[in-house]
């Protein structure tokens, strides 16, 4: 099943700015890593001026482990300043833009509370929220914090992966406008919280999963392949390709 979303139908002129890009970050250098690839591109740092964003992400950015990261459904990773501030207090150090490997550090828009399938105008680009971030061992090695994978998951401050519906240019200072919000109402936090607690509360997890599947089948949202598989598994429901 293709995960490429259809062209937007919302009048972009009516998009009201709700947030701001604080920094646009892309890979600074490949770092040695103990994972199977041997290197990681998680070292993202802010860059000046406009940056072109295309179907697979920011110009001159990359992912070292392309089997598990990147692609159309994870083309851009955004993290909210409010969540970064919370982590700064928890960790006792400043979570600078790019430290979590994000491409966009934004404020004024609740990133993890974004609805799955929500569309953002950023600069001249149009982006669509696809899924929450699932922490991995590379992220844990980057932070050097004990039990980081479990801590990050438990906090449910995942940030948002986005696909690029319309290529364009973006830069620090650009407004972030929400121009479309699906009616199903399931946020990234709703889904991630339900999915990670599915063993303890399977009924809640299945209900959230079914809402996403119904929205996908109804055309309200185009779930990423990973999201669709997890939703199907959680709901015990397979759908035709």
């Amino acid at each position: 099943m293709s995960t490429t979303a259809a062209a937007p139908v919302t009048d972009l002129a009516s998009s009201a700015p709700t947030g701001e890009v604080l920094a646009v970050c892309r890979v600074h250098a490949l770092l040695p890593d103990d994972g199977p690839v041997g290197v990681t591109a998680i070292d993202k740092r802010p860059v000046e001026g406009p940056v072109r964003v295309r179907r697979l992400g920011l110009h001159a950015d990359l992912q070292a482990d392309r089997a598990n990261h990147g692609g159309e459904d994870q083309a851009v990773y955004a993290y909210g300043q409010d969540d970064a501030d919370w982590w700064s207090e928890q960790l006792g150090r400043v979570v600078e833009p790019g430290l979590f490997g994000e491409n966009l550090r934004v404020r004024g828009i609740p990133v993890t509370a974004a609805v799955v399938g929500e569309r953002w105008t950023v600069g001249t680009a149009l982006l669509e929220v696809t899924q929450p971030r699932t922490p991995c061992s590379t992220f844990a090695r980057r932070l050097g914090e004990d039990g980081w994978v479990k801590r990050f998951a438990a906090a449910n401050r995942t940030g948002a992966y986005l696909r690029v519906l319309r290529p364009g240019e973006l830069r620090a200072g650009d407004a972030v406008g929400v121009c479309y919000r699906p009616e199903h109402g399931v946020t990234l936090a709703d889904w991630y919280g339900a999915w990670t607690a599915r063993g303890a509360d399977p009924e809640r997890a299945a209900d959230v999963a079914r809402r996403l599947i119904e929205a996908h089948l109804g055309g309200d949202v185009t779930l990423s392949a990973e999201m669709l598989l997890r939703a199907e598994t959680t709901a015990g429901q397979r759908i035709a390709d």
Side-chain angles (χ1 to χ4, degrees):
M1 175 180 294
S2 172
T3 59
T4 302
V9 296
T10 305
D11 179 8
L12 299 183
S14 66
S15 173
T18 58
E20 178 188 9
V21 176
L22 295 180
V24 178
C25 308
R26 62 187 177 197
V27 65
H28 175 72
L30 292 177
L31 302 178
D33 183 66
D34 290 337
V37 178
V39 294
T40 174
I42 199 172
D43 182 11
K44 314 287 189 189
R45 302 190 190 182
V47 295
E48 296 183 358
V51 178
R52 187 74 179 169
V53 61
R54 300 183 176 90
R55 179 175 59 88
L56 295 178
L58 300 184
H59 177 69
D61 193 34
L62 57 87
Q63 299 82 32
D65 182 4
R66 295 184 181 178
N68 297 297
H69 301 287
E72 292 185 22
D73 294 330
Q74 299 180 28
V76 177
Y77 178 50
Y79 206 75
Q81 186 61 45
D82 55 342
D83 289 327
D85 290 341
W86 186 86
W87 278 117
S88 294
E89 293 182 4
Q90 298 297 310
L91 300 175
R93 55 171 163 153
V94 177
V95 176
E96 299 283 359
L99 181 63
F100 283 6
E102 75 269 26
N103 299 116
L104 301 180
R105 174 66 65 84
V106 301
R107 68 179 172 193
I109 184 167
V111 177
T112 307
V115 172
V116 177
E118 186 173 293
R119 294 173 185 174
W120 298 354
T121 56
V122 187
T124 60
L126 180 66
L127 310 178
E128 183 177 65
V129 174
T130 57
Q131 63 189 70
R133 180 200 197 144
T134 299
C136 63
S137 56
T138 299
F139 189 22
R141 288 189 290 271
R142 163 75 161 167
L143 269 292
E145 297 284 340
D146 291 339
W148 179 248
V149 169
K150 290 183 178 180
R151 288 178 67 185
F152 189 81
N156 199 0
R157 296 171 180 265
T158 64
Y161 281 119
L162 304 107
R163 64 169 62 104
V164 179
L165 295 185
R166 185 182 65 217
E169 287 187 343
L170 41 78
R171 69 178 76 198
D174 279 345
V176 180
V178 178
C179 64
Y180 173 71
R181 182 169 285 135
E183 294 182 0
H184 64 78
V186 177
T187 68
L188 295 176
D190 291 336
W191 164 247
Y192 194 71
W195 184 75
T196 55
R198 62 195 182 282
D201 194 349
E203 290 186 5
R204 173 192 171 216
D207 176 67
V208 174
R210 281 192 291 268
R211 288 167 61 192
L212 287 173
I213 291 172
E214 289 172 1
H216 178 85
L217 293 174
D220 194 28
V221 64
T222 301
L223 294 179
S224 69
E226 180 180 317
M227 284 280 286
L228 182 57
L229 178 59
R230 289 183 174 182
E232 288 177 328
T233 301
T234 302
Q237 175 184 351
R238 300 292 295 179
I239 66 174
D241 289 344

